[in-house]
Amino acid sequence: MTGYIAEMRKLVGHRTLIQCAASVICIDDQGRLLLGKRSDNKMWGYSGGAVEIDERVEDCAKRELFEEMGVTAEELEFFYVNSGPEAHYIYPNGDEVSNFEIIYICRKWHGEPKSLDGEMEELRFLSCDEINLSEISPPIRHVVAAYIDKEKPKSI
C-alpha cells in the first residue's frame, strides 16, 4: 500500500477510514468481464483502488486498471456508486474501510491483461453466466450482481 491511504494508516492504524475509490469493470468484445483473483482475500473482483490527493476519479480508475490488470482504458462510461453498509469492508490484515466507490465500465481498451502490481493472482474473462457471486469479493458482490442484472436480456 502506498499513497494517501498508507499515510492515514500510519496515523489511525486499523480504525475505519472513509475511502474514496474508483473502479473499472472491463468488458471484452464478447461481453465478458475481466476479473482478477485478489491476492489478499482470494476472491474475484474488478480493478479499483483509492483516489490519491487531487487525483481525478477517472484518472484513478484508469491508473488502477493499468496497475492491476495491465490494460489501458480508452473510454470510460459511468455505471454505479457503491456506498453504505454493503461497501464497508475489513481487509484480511485488519484494515477497515467504509468505501465510497465510483464504478465505470470500459468497453474500449488495449493491452494484454496481466497483473503488474501483484494485487491480482490470476486474471480471467468470464461471461455473466460463468460468474459465481459467492466467489466475488464481499464489498463489490452487489455491484457485480447489478451489472449482471443490467446485462441480462429482458423478457417481453
Side-chain angles (χ1 to χ4, degrees), residues 12-63:
V12 302
H14 296 302
R15 291 180 53 200
T16 306
L17 289 175
I18 295 174
Q19 177 172 259
C20 180
S23 300
V24 178
I25 297 174
C26 190
I27 309 296
D28 73 1
D29 58 3
Q30 297 173 37
R32 300 176 302 172
L33 289 75
L34 177 58
L35 296 176
K37 185 175 265 189
R38 297 176 53 95
S39 57
D40 61 355
N41 68 5
K42 312 302 183 203
M43 306 288 280
W44 292 92
Y46 44 72
S47 67
V51 176
E52 295 297 335
I53 301 269
D54 293 334
E55 184 177 31
R56 288 183 172 82
V57 175
E58 296 86 352
D59 292 340
C60 175
K62 290 177 181 180
R63 175 179 54 77

Side-chain angles (χ1 to χ4, degrees), residues 92-123:
N93 70 355
D95 289 351
E96 193 164 349
V97 292
S98 176
N99 281 311
F100 178 87
E101 175 192 22
I102 298 155
I103 302 110
Y104 296 92
I105 294 172
C106 180
R107 297 177 197 279
K108 292 185 181 181
W109 52 272
H110 64 272
E112 187 65 34
K114 61 182 174 271
S115 178
L116 298 178
D117 65 4
E119 287 189 41
M120 302 291 188
E121 293 181 349
E122 175 185 353
L123 299 178

